[in-house]
Amino acid sequence: MTQYRSVRGMVDILPEDSCHWQRLEAVATGVLQRYGYQEIRLPLIEATTLFARSIGEVTDIVEKEMYTFEDRNGDGLALRPEGTAGCVRAVVQHNLLQTPQKLWYLGPMFRYERPQKGRQRQFHQLGVEGFGVATPDLDSELILLSRALWQALGVDSLLTLEINSIGSPESRARYRDALVAYLRQHKSALDEDSQRRLESNPLRILDSKNPATQELLEQAPSMGEYLDAESRQDFDDLMSALDAVGQPYVVNQRLVRGLDYYNKTVFEWTTDALGAQGTVCGGGRYDGLVAQFGGRETPAAGFAIGLERLILLMKTVGDVPMASTDIYVVTADIEAQRHALPRIEALRREFPDSTIQMNLGGGSFKSQFKRADRSGARFALVYGESELADNCVTLKPMRGEGEQVTLPDTQIAAFLAEKLAETKGD
Ligand code: ATP
Ligand code: MG
């Protein structure tokens, strides 16, 4: 028989991990709500051309990483490698740009890459996009919103903010020419990848990890000298806003981001705690993309967080998964279970924030208590023969929280309310 395995780079999130995901999602939706951002849910599949045109034909994503296919109708489709293109497509299609929009989405993205720690073929992003604001107060708000999330998750001390301005398309083209002119003089010293990029996508050479190439770049012309006045002013305003809230940052003139649609401010949050896959979040302005997709000229900016990497960070600071079972219900036999069921349903309604598990599948008291222990329950509620006869129930603390007591059914809710309110370990 065939033993099926998940496809390489496509990862199951098991119950022991899903609790971290649930906490992350709950915290993130809370932060987004507090900043006034609304959720938009988008398809996982879009026309291939949507990505090729926005991300750029000569980017790694489009050249090497996209999952593309033809459907039965012969239409060229792609599993989304990122969320911005689809989001822009949607806001144009549904005419949402009459007023500024602040949107977010969360879900799987797909890229054919070499799987390793923090790099998968199906991975998840939380994307946040703001439309219709040209001023850098949007840029700083996006950065502060991401910072608020780091703080709420307790990982802020592990992350460094890097910012840069890549200017207007015109100033970037001028810089690109200067960079190419410089690097051409040293072409033979460039690594192979960078030699190829010299013709196709020279700004990406700034990203090269090759030591010889990095050394060459030390003397290369720098982006800042080529910035247009408006981009320079916006960048200064952004830095003032960050200074005003005491958010430290590093200006990294080699930060270009991998996608074609960016302009002006770009930023990343990086960490040393995850080895090579150190970028947890990246974003920036993309003022030209809406018009490129047939919408009215609309400035925009956004960012995406790699959630697998964020979860890895949460684990390094000892993220505590959500509470396990509070109460485990042990019953003598099927008759006792039938007796207990309506009473337990009533308790579940009364304590909506508690987890109450009914023992399923019978078993001796001994094996039921073993399961109760494994569930992590603080208390067992026991319905044995004498409890049934007397309309009582026995509450047995499982974690050394006092003595076992037997109470009439009518008193159990009040007693439990008191017990559950005490935090563990008090
Ligand atoms: P990298 O340089 O790590 O490949 P990127 O520049 O391709 O990142 P973006 O397209 O900017 O990444 O995506 C935003 C974030 O999504 C990244 O900073 C990262 O946290 C996450 N991410 C990107 N690709 C993957 C992947 N294959 N697996 C897991 N997370 C990813
Ligand atoms: Mg990448």
Side-chain angles (χ1 to χ4, degrees):
M1 228 173 52
T2 327
Q3 269 258 302
Y4 284 112
R5 315 258 319 159
S6 59
V7 174
R8 186 165 140 82
M10 312 274 171
V11 177
D12 301 310
I13 297 172
L14 302 178
E16 65 189 42
D17 263 343
S18 57
C19 53
H20 296 289
W21 285 85
Q22 285 173 359
R23 186 167 103 83
L24 167 57
E25 287 167 16
V27 169
T29 47
V31 170
L32 287 156
Q33 168 135 33
R34 286 199 288 284
Y35 280 78
Y37 287 69
Q38 291 181 298
E39 185 180 14
I40 183 167
R41 299 195 182 196
L42 302 160
L44 303 193
I45 294 176
E46 301 275 357
T48 305
T49 51
L50 180 85
F51 300 114
R53 280 191 49 207
S54 56
I55 298 169
E57 297 277 1
V58 290
T59 55
D60 283 351
I61 295 181
V62 172
E63 275 186 330
K64 301 189 266 196
E65 299 172 359
M66 260 208 300
Y67 283 88
T68 56
F69 62 100
E70 280 191 1
D71 70 4
R72 287 166 195 277
N73 193 35
D75 293 339
L77 302 178
L79 296 182
R80 62 181 187 188
E82 56 102 54
T84 302
C87 187
V88 171
R89 195 260 318 131
V91 295
V92 172
Q93 179 177 337
H94 301 288
N95 232 343
L96 300 185
L97 298 176
Q98 311 308 320
T99 54
Q101 290 284 347
K102 304 201 291 183
L103 303 173
W104 66 271
Y105 47 82
L106 185 155
M109 307 292 162
F110 304 86
R111 296 183 194 179
Y112 189 81
E113 301 195 68
R114 195 167 70 79
Q116 52 200 293
K117 181 181 168 196
R119 194 177 291 289
Q120 300 173 182
R121 290 180 176 177
Q122 175 173 334
F123 62 100
H124 295 77
Q125 283 185 344
L126 167 61
V128 181
E129 319 281 1
F131 295 96
V133 180
T135 44
D137 47 356
L138 173 60
D139 310 47
S140 55
E141 177 170 283
L142 290 168
I143 289 173
L144 294 183
L145 162 57
S146 52
R147 177 177 86 153
L149 179 60
W150 316 143
Q151 288 170 339
L153 292 170
V155 297
D156 46 312
S157 65
L158 297 174
L159 287 159
T160 303
L161 175 63
E162 296 186 26
I163 58 175
N164 190 24
S165 178
I166 59 174
S168 64
E170 298 75 35
S171 65
R172 194 156 68 258
R174 279 197 301 278
Y175 172 64
R176 185 187 143 121
D177 290 346
L179 182 68
V180 169
Y182 167 81
L183 290 175
R184 276 230 176 92
Q185 296 167 10
H186 308 277
K187 186 165 177 185
S188 55
L190 285 173
D191 62 277
E192 211 176 301
D193 242 8
S194 297
Q195 290 197 7
R196 198 172 46 80
R197 285 186 167 143
L198 197 53
E199 309 306 326
S200 61
N201 196 352
L203 291 185
R204 285 296 272 176
I205 297 174
L206 298 177
D207 264 353
S208 170
K209 304 280 181 291
N210 181 283
T213 300
Q214 283 200 337
E215 209 183 298
L216 262 188
L217 287 170
E218 298 285 330
Q219 306 300 322
S222 76
M223 191 115 61
E225 299 160 23
Y226 289 80
L227 277 191
D228 53 291
E230 188 180 287
S231 297
R232 155 70 43 209
Q233 182 63 51
D234 285 1
F235 195 55
D236 286 345
D237 288 350
L238 170 68
M239 290 190 283
S240 305
L242 295 172
D243 291 338
V245 294
Q247 171 57 49
Y249 50 84
V250 176
V251 177
N252 173 1
Q253 296 221 8
R254 297 212 194 139
L255 181 64
V256 287
R257 314 264 314 118
L259 300 77
D260 273 4
Y261 50 64
Y262 287 112
N263 67 304
K264 287 190 172 171
T265 298
V266 293
F267 67 93
E268 288 188 352
W269 288 94
T270 59
T271 180
D272 293 331
L274 300 181
Q277 272 57 250
T279 307
V280 173
C281 171
R285 263 202 180 268
Y286 51 93
D287 292 328
L289 194 56
V290 173
Q292 195 190 318
F293 277 12
R296 173 171 68 177
E297 200 70 51
T298 307
F303 66 81
I305 300 172
L307 297 185
E308 278 75 10
R309 294 181 195 178
L310 182 52
I311 297 252
L312 287 170
L313 268 195
M314 288 161 63
K315 288 184 181 172
T316 66
V317 297
D319 186 50
V320 189
M322 271 187 258
S324 52
T325 300
D326 296 301
I327 297 166
Y328 194 93
V329 183
V330 169
T331 54
D333 52 23
I334 188 155
E335 193 192 334
Q337 198 186 39
R338 211 171 290 138
H339 169 92
L341 207 50
R343 293 165 170 78
I344 296 305
E345 287 299 291
L347 289 178
R348 282 175 170 148
R349 281 191 294 274
E350 189 137 351
F351 299 99
D353 297 331
S354 297
T355 302
I356 306 180
Q357 286 207 62
M358 175 68 89
N359 181 74
L360 301 177
S364 65
F365 273 132
K366 190 172 166 214
S367 66
Q368 292 190 51
F369 276 114
K370 217 182 244 170
R371 288 181 211 149
D373 186 44
R374 249 185 267 134
S375 78
R378 286 172 68 187
F379 305 104
L381 279 183
V382 188
Y383 292 89
E385 267 172 46
S386 60
E387 282 89 353
L388 251 65
D390 303 341
N391 275 319
C392 283
V393 58
T394 296
L395 179 109
K396 180 178 154 77
M398 301 291 291
R399 314 277 151 200
E401 295 178 73
E403 296 296 313
Q404 148 174 342
V405 287
T406 300
L407 295 166
D409 284 343
T410 49
Q411 289 176 23
I412 189 65
F415 190 78
L416 267 180
E418 208 170 291
K419 279 281 174 194
L420 289 170
E422 294 168 10
T423 37
K424 217 174 199 167
D426 277 2

PDB file of all heavy atoms in Angstrom, residues 258-285:
ATOM      1  N   GLY A 258      12.361  42.702  -2.809  1.00  0.00           N
ATOM      2  CA  GLY A 258      12.474  41.905  -4.022  1.00  0.00           C
ATOM      3  C   GLY A 258      11.432  42.153  -5.091  1.00  0.00           C
ATOM      4  O   GLY A 258      11.501  41.571  -6.164  1.00  0.00           O
ATOM      5  N   LEU A 259      10.456  42.998  -4.828  1.00  0.00           N
ATOM      6  CA  LEU A 259       9.344  43.098  -5.759  1.00  0.00           C
ATOM      7  C   LEU A 259       9.383  44.435  -6.481  1.00  0.00           C
ATOM      8  O   LEU A 259       9.766  45.439  -5.890  1.00  0.00           O
ATOM      9  CB  LEU A 259       8.002  42.920  -5.006  1.00  0.00           C
ATOM     10  CG  LEU A 259       7.838  41.585  -4.273  1.00  0.00           C
ATOM     11  CD1 LEU A 259       8.617  41.546  -2.966  1.00  0.00           C
ATOM     12  CD2 LEU A 259       6.384  41.279  -3.994  1.00  0.00           C
ATOM     13  N   ASP A 260       8.986  44.439  -7.736  1.00  0.00           N
ATOM     14  CA  ASP A 260       9.126  45.628  -8.583  1.00  0.00           C
ATOM     15  C   ASP A 260       8.231  46.793  -8.202  1.00  0.00           C
ATOM     16  O   ASP A 260       8.503  47.923  -8.556  1.00  0.00           O
ATOM     17  CB  ASP A 260       8.797  45.267 -10.045  1.00  0.00           C
ATOM     18  CG  ASP A 260      10.026  44.749 -10.770  1.00  0.00           C
ATOM     19  OD1 ASP A 260      11.082  44.614 -10.116  1.00  0.00           O
ATOM     20  OD2 ASP A 260       9.919  44.497 -11.986  1.00  0.00           O
ATOM     21  N   TYR A 261       7.116  46.513  -7.505  1.00  0.00           N
ATOM     22  CA  TYR A 261       6.116  47.577  -7.407  1.00  0.00           C
ATOM     23  C   TYR A 261       6.416  48.639  -6.351  1.00  0.00           C
ATOM     24  O   TYR A 261       5.709  49.616  -6.237  1.00  0.00           O
ATOM     25  CB  TYR A 261       4.706  46.999  -7.208  1.00  0.00           C
ATOM     26  CG  TYR A 261       4.506  45.958  -6.127  1.00  0.00           C
ATOM     27  CD1 TYR A 261       4.695  46.265  -4.785  1.00  0.00           C
ATOM     28  CD2 TYR A 261       4.080  44.675  -6.451  1.00  0.00           C
ATOM     29  CE1 TYR A 261       4.476  45.328  -3.809  1.00  0.00           C
ATOM     30  CE2 TYR A 261       3.846  43.717  -5.473  1.00  0.00           C
ATOM     31  CZ  TYR A 261       4.051  44.051  -4.148  1.00  0.00           C
ATOM     32  OH  TYR A 261       3.826  43.110  -3.184  1.00  0.00           O
ATOM     33  N   TYR A 262       7.481  48.460  -5.563  1.00  0.00           N
ATOM     34  CA  TYR A 262       7.726  49.419  -4.476  1.00  0.00           C
ATOM     35  C   TYR A 262       8.307  50.750  -4.964  1.00  0.00           C
ATOM     36  O   TYR A 262       8.971  50.823  -5.992  1.00  0.00           O
ATOM     37  CB  TYR A 262       8.678  48.820  -3.451  1.00  0.00           C
ATOM     38  CG  TYR A 262       8.042  47.754  -2.595  1.00  0.00           C
ATOM     39  CD1 TYR A 262       8.426  46.428  -2.694  1.00  0.00           C
ATOM     40  CD2 TYR A 262       7.045  48.092  -1.685  1.00  0.00           C
ATOM     41  CE1 TYR A 262       7.829  45.449  -1.898  1.00  0.00           C
ATOM     42  CE2 TYR A 262       6.448  47.123  -0.894  1.00  0.00           C
ATOM     43  CZ  TYR A 262       6.850  45.812  -1.006  1.00  0.00           C
ATOM     44  OH  TYR A 262       6.271  44.853  -0.226  1.00  0.00           O
ATOM     45  N   ASN A 263       8.049  51.809  -4.191  1.00  0.00           N
ATOM     46  CA  ASN A 263       8.713  53.094  -4.383  1.00  0.00           C
ATOM     47  C   ASN A 263       8.817  53.774  -3.026  1.00  0.00           C
ATOM     48  O   ASN A 263       8.258  53.285  -2.039  1.00  0.00           O
ATOM     49  CB  ASN A 263       7.933  53.982  -5.373  1.00  0.00           C
ATOM     50  CG  ASN A 263       6.595  54.426  -4.821  1.00  0.00           C
ATOM     51  OD1 ASN A 263       5.771  53.612  -4.433  1.00  0.00           O
ATOM     52  ND2 ASN A 263       6.370  55.726  -4.769  1.00  0.00           N
ATOM     53  N   LYS A 264       9.546  54.865  -2.977  1.00  0.00           N
ATOM     54  CA  LYS A 264       9.735  55.619  -1.722  1.00  0.00           C
ATOM     55  C   LYS A 264      10.129  54.702  -0.560  1.00  0.00           C
ATOM     56  O   LYS A 264      11.010  53.868  -0.680  1.00  0.00           O
ATOM     57  CB  LYS A 264       8.484  56.446  -1.401  1.00  0.00           C
ATOM     58  CG  LYS A 264       8.317  57.663  -2.315  1.00  0.00           C
ATOM     59  CD  LYS A 264       7.214  58.573  -1.814  1.00  0.00           C
ATOM     60  CE  LYS A 264       7.172  59.878  -2.606  1.00  0.00           C
ATOM     61  NZ  LYS A 264       5.984  60.665  -2.277  1.00  0.00           N
ATOM     62  N   THR A 265       9.394  54.820   0.564  1.00  0.00           N
ATOM     63  CA  THR A 265       9.839  54.122   1.775  1.00  0.00           C
ATOM     64  C   THR A 265       9.652  52.611   1.699  1.00  0.00           C
ATOM     65  O   THR A 265       8.590  52.128   1.307  1.00  0.00           O
ATOM     66  CB  THR A 265       9.041  54.654   2.985  1.00  0.00           C
ATOM     67  OG1 THR A 265       9.323  56.039   3.123  1.00  0.00           O
ATOM     68  CG2 THR A 265       9.449  53.922   4.255  1.00  0.00           C
ATOM     69  N   VAL A 266      10.696  51.884   2.058  1.00  0.00           N
ATOM     70  CA  VAL A 266      10.576  50.438   2.249  1.00  0.00           C
ATOM     71  C   VAL A 266      11.126  50.114   3.638  1.00  0.00           C
ATOM     72  O   VAL A 266      11.932  50.866   4.182  1.00  0.00           O
ATOM     73  CB  VAL A 266      11.351  49.629   1.178  1.00  0.00           C
ATOM     74  CG1 VAL A 266      10.711  49.809  -0.197  1.00  0.00           C
ATOM     75  CG2 VAL A 266      12.826  50.029   1.136  1.00  0.00           C
ATOM     76  N   PHE A 267      10.663  49.027   4.219  1.00  0.00           N
ATOM     77  CA  PHE A 267      11.166  48.662   5.544  1.00  0.00           C
ATOM     78  C   PHE A 267      11.109  47.159   5.768  1.00  0.00           C
ATOM     79  O   PHE A 267      10.380  46.443   5.089  1.00  0.00           O
ATOM     80  CB  PHE A 267      10.395  49.398   6.653  1.00  0.00           C
ATOM     81  CG  PHE A 267       8.941  48.993   6.781  1.00  0.00           C
ATOM     82  CD1 PHE A 267       8.556  47.987   7.674  1.00  0.00           C
ATOM     83  CD2 PHE A 267       7.952  49.613   6.034  1.00  0.00           C
ATOM     84  CE1 PHE A 267       7.222  47.615   7.813  1.00  0.00           C
ATOM     85  CE2 PHE A 267       6.609  49.247   6.159  1.00  0.00           C
ATOM     86  CZ  PHE A 267       6.252  48.251   7.055  1.00  0.00           C
ATOM     87  N   GLU A 268      11.918  46.716   6.690  1.00  0.00           N
ATOM     88  CA  GLU A 268      11.894  45.320   7.112  1.00  0.00           C
ATOM     89  C   GLU A 268      12.102  45.261   8.619  1.00  0.00           C
ATOM     90  O   GLU A 268      12.776  46.120   9.193  1.00  0.00           O
ATOM     91  CB  GLU A 268      13.003  44.507   6.412  1.00  0.00           C
ATOM     92  CG  GLU A 268      12.733  44.265   4.944  1.00  0.00           C
ATOM     93  CD  GLU A 268      13.730  43.294   4.285  1.00  0.00           C
ATOM     94  OE1 GLU A 268      14.731  42.929   4.936  1.00  0.00           O
ATOM     95  OE2 GLU A 268      13.483  42.924   3.123  1.00  0.00           O
ATOM     96  N   TRP A 269      11.532  44.250   9.224  1.00  0.00           N
ATOM     97  CA  TRP A 269      11.848  43.909  10.613  1.00  0.00           C
ATOM     98  C   TRP A 269      12.663  42.622  10.564  1.00  0.00           C
ATOM     99  O   TRP A 269      12.194  41.623  10.001  1.00  0.00           O
ATOM    100  CB  TRP A 269      10.580  43.668  11.421  1.00  0.00           C
ATOM    101  CG  TRP A 269       9.780  44.881  11.738  1.00  0.00           C
ATOM    102  CD1 TRP A 269       8.721  45.365  11.028  1.00  0.00           C
ATOM    103  CD2 TRP A 269       9.924  45.746  12.876  1.00  0.00           C
ATOM    104  NE1 TRP A 269       8.197  46.482  11.643  1.00  0.00           N
ATOM    105  CE2 TRP A 269       8.913  46.737  12.783  1.00  0.00           C
ATOM    106  CE3 TRP A 269      10.801  45.782  13.967  1.00  0.00           C
ATOM    107  CZ2 TRP A 269       8.763  47.741  13.738  1.00  0.00           C
ATOM    108  CZ3 TRP A 269      10.640  46.795  14.914  1.00  0.00           C
ATOM    109  CH2 TRP A 269       9.630  47.762  14.791  1.00  0.00           C
ATOM    110  N   THR A 270      13.866  42.667  11.139  1.00  0.00           N
ATOM    111  CA  THR A 270      14.736  41.500  11.066  1.00  0.00           C
ATOM    112  C   THR A 270      15.146  41.049  12.472  1.00  0.00           C
ATOM    113  O   THR A 270      15.061  41.814  13.434  1.00  0.00           O
ATOM    114  CB  THR A 270      16.005  41.811  10.256  1.00  0.00           C
ATOM    115  OG1 THR A 270      16.685  42.896  10.894  1.00  0.00           O
ATOM    116  CG2 THR A 270      15.677  42.210   8.830  1.00  0.00           C
ATOM    117  N   THR A 271      15.595  39.805  12.545  1.00  0.00           N
ATOM    118  CA  THR A 271      16.020  39.247  13.823  1.00  0.00           C
ATOM    119  C   THR A 271      17.277  38.402  13.645  1.00  0.00           C
ATOM    120  O   THR A 271      17.501  37.844  12.569  1.00  0.00           O
ATOM    121  CB  THR A 271      14.908  38.383  14.446  1.00  0.00           C
ATOM    122  OG1 THR A 271      15.374  37.861  15.699  1.00  0.00           O
ATOM    123  CG2 THR A 271      14.529  37.218  13.545  1.00  0.00           C
ATOM    124  N   ASP A 272      18.070  38.317  14.706  1.00  0.00           N
ATOM    125  CA  ASP A 272      19.234  37.422  14.699  1.00  0.00           C
ATOM    126  C   ASP A 272      18.875  36.044  15.236  1.00  0.00           C
ATOM    127  O   ASP A 272      19.690  35.133  15.213  1.00  0.00           O
ATOM    128  CB  ASP A 272      20.348  37.991  15.611  1.00  0.00           C
ATOM    129  CG  ASP A 272      20.914  39.275  15.058  1.00  0.00           C
ATOM    130  OD1 ASP A 272      20.894  39.435  13.821  1.00  0.00           O
ATOM    131  OD2 ASP A 272      21.361  40.116  15.864  1.00  0.00           O
ATOM    132  N   ALA A 273      17.652  35.916  15.726  1.00  0.00           N
ATOM    133  CA  ALA A 273      17.307  34.705  16.481  1.00  0.00           C
ATOM    134  C   ALA A 273      16.935  33.515  15.599  1.00  0.00           C
ATOM    135  O   ALA A 273      16.732  32.418  16.105  1.00  0.00           O
ATOM    136  CB  ALA A 273      16.164  35.011  17.450  1.00  0.00           C
ATOM    137  N   LEU A 274      16.848  33.717  14.284  1.00  0.00           N
ATOM    138  CA  LEU A 274      16.348  32.629  13.429  1.00  0.00           C
ATOM    139  C   LEU A 274      17.340  32.170  12.381  1.00  0.00           C
ATOM    140  O   LEU A 274      16.966  31.483  11.432  1.00  0.00           O
ATOM    141  CB  LEU A 274      15.050  33.066  12.723  1.00  0.00           C
ATOM    142  CG  LEU A 274      13.871  33.448  13.616  1.00  0.00           C
ATOM    143  CD1 LEU A 274      12.666  33.839  12.764  1.00  0.00           C
ATOM    144  CD2 LEU A 274      13.498  32.299  14.548  1.00  0.00           C
ATOM    145  N   GLY A 275      18.612  32.518  12.525  1.00  0.00           N
ATOM    146  CA  GLY A 275      19.586  32.107  11.531  1.00  0.00           C
ATOM    147  C   GLY A 275      19.371  32.838  10.217  1.00  0.00           C
ATOM    148  O   GLY A 275      19.043  34.027  10.216  1.00  0.00           O
ATOM    149  N   ALA A 276      19.531  32.121   9.106  1.00  0.00           N
ATOM    150  CA  ALA A 276      19.539  32.769   7.787  1.00  0.00           C
ATOM    151  C   ALA A 276      18.201  33.415   7.426  1.00  0.00           C
ATOM    152  O   ALA A 276      18.172  34.414   6.708  1.00  0.00           O
ATOM    153  CB  ALA A 276      19.936  31.751   6.716  1.00  0.00           C
ATOM    154  N   GLN A 277      17.109  32.845   7.904  1.00  0.00           N
ATOM    155  CA  GLN A 277      15.788  33.381   7.537  1.00  0.00           C
ATOM    156  C   GLN A 277      15.385  34.477   8.523  1.00  0.00           C
ATOM    157  O   GLN A 277      14.432  34.332   9.282  1.00  0.00           O
ATOM    158  CB  GLN A 277      14.732  32.268   7.493  1.00  0.00           C
ATOM    159  CG  GLN A 277      14.611  31.577   6.159  1.00  0.00           C
ATOM    160  CD  GLN A 277      15.910  30.963   5.676  1.00  0.00           C
ATOM    161  OE1 GLN A 277      16.499  31.432   4.729  1.00  0.00           O
ATOM    162  NE2 GLN A 277      16.361  29.931   6.354  1.00  0.00           N
ATOM    163  N   GLY A 278      16.120  35.587   8.509  1.00  0.00           N
ATOM    164  CA  GLY A 278      15.983  36.579   9.573  1.00  0.00           C
ATOM    165  C   GLY A 278      14.956  37.672   9.332  1.00  0.00           C
ATOM    166  O   GLY A 278      14.705  38.479  10.216  1.00  0.00           O
ATOM    167  N   THR A 279      14.350  37.725   8.140  1.00  0.00           N
ATOM    168  CA  THR A 279      13.372  38.780   7.889  1.00  0.00           C
ATOM    169  C   THR A 279      11.975  38.279   8.245  1.00  0.00           C
ATOM    170  O   THR A 279      11.474  37.346   7.637  1.00  0.00           O
ATOM    171  CB  THR A 279      13.407  39.235   6.425  1.00  0.00           C
ATOM    172  OG1 THR A 279      14.743  39.583   6.098  1.00  0.00           O
ATOM    173  CG2 THR A 279      12.515  40.443   6.200  1.00  0.00           C
ATOM    174  N   VAL A 280      11.384  38.920   9.226  1.00  0.00           N
ATOM    175  CA  VAL A 280      10.074  38.477   9.698  1.00  0.00           C
ATOM    176  C   VAL A 280       8.961  39.258   9.005  1.00  0.00           C
ATOM    177  O   VAL A 280       7.848  38.761   8.830  1.00  0.00           O
ATOM    178  CB  VAL A 280       9.983  38.635  11.235  1.00  0.00           C
ATOM    179  CG1 VAL A 280       8.588  38.350  11.742  1.00  0.00           C
ATOM    180  CG2 VAL A 280      11.003  37.711  11.902  1.00  0.00           C
ATOM    181  N   CYS A 281       9.283  40.474   8.568  1.00  0.00           N
ATOM    182  CA  CYS A 281       8.232  41.340   8.027  1.00  0.00           C
ATOM    183  C   CYS A 281       8.872  42.287   7.027  1.00  0.00           C
ATOM    184  O   CYS A 281       9.973  42.783   7.259  1.00  0.00           O
ATOM    185  CB  CYS A 281       7.613  42.125   9.180  1.00  0.00           C
ATOM    186  SG  CYS A 281       6.477  43.430   8.692  1.00  0.00           S
ATOM    187  N   GLY A 282       8.200  42.521   5.903  1.00  0.00           N
ATOM    188  CA  GLY A 282       8.727  43.462   4.920  1.00  0.00           C
ATOM    189  C   GLY A 282       7.597  44.214   4.248  1.00  0.00           C
ATOM    190  O   GLY A 282       6.502  43.688   4.089  1.00  0.00           O
ATOM    191  N   GLY A 283       7.887  45.454   3.895  1.00  0.00           N
ATOM    192  CA  GLY A 283       6.836  46.211   3.217  1.00  0.00           C
ATOM    193  C   GLY A 283       7.354  47.528   2.695  1.00  0.00           C
ATOM    194  O   GLY A 283       8.556  47.790   2.689  1.00  0.00           O
ATOM    195  N   GLY A 284       6.416  48.352   2.269  1.00  0.00           N
ATOM    196  CA  GLY A 284       6.775  49.662   1.758  1.00  0.00           C
ATOM    197  C   GLY A 284       5.654  50.253   0.927  1.00  0.00           C
ATOM    198  O   GLY A 284       4.552  49.714   0.876  1.00  0.00           O
ATOM    199  N   ARG A 285       5.985  51.375   0.289  1.00  0.00           N
ATOM    200  CA  ARG A 285       5.003  52.066  -0.562  1.00  0.00           C
ATOM    201  C   ARG A 285       4.929  51.434  -1.938  1.00  0.00           C
ATOM    202  O   ARG A 285       5.918  50.918  -2.453  1.00  0.00           O
ATOM    203  CB  ARG A 285       5.431  53.523  -0.739  1.00  0.00           C
ATOM    204  CG  ARG A 285       4.743  54.381   0.181  1.00  0.00           C
ATOM    205  CD  ARG A 285       4.648  55.830  -0.155  1.00  0.00           C
ATOM    206  NE  ARG A 285       3.902  56.315   0.982  1.00  0.00           N
ATOM    207  CZ  ARG A 285       2.581  56.422   1.011  1.00  0.00           C
ATOM    208  NH1 ARG A 285       1.855  56.156  -0.067  1.00  0.00           N
ATOM    209  NH2 ARG A 285       1.969  56.808   2.107  1.00  0.00           N
TER     210      ARG A 285
END
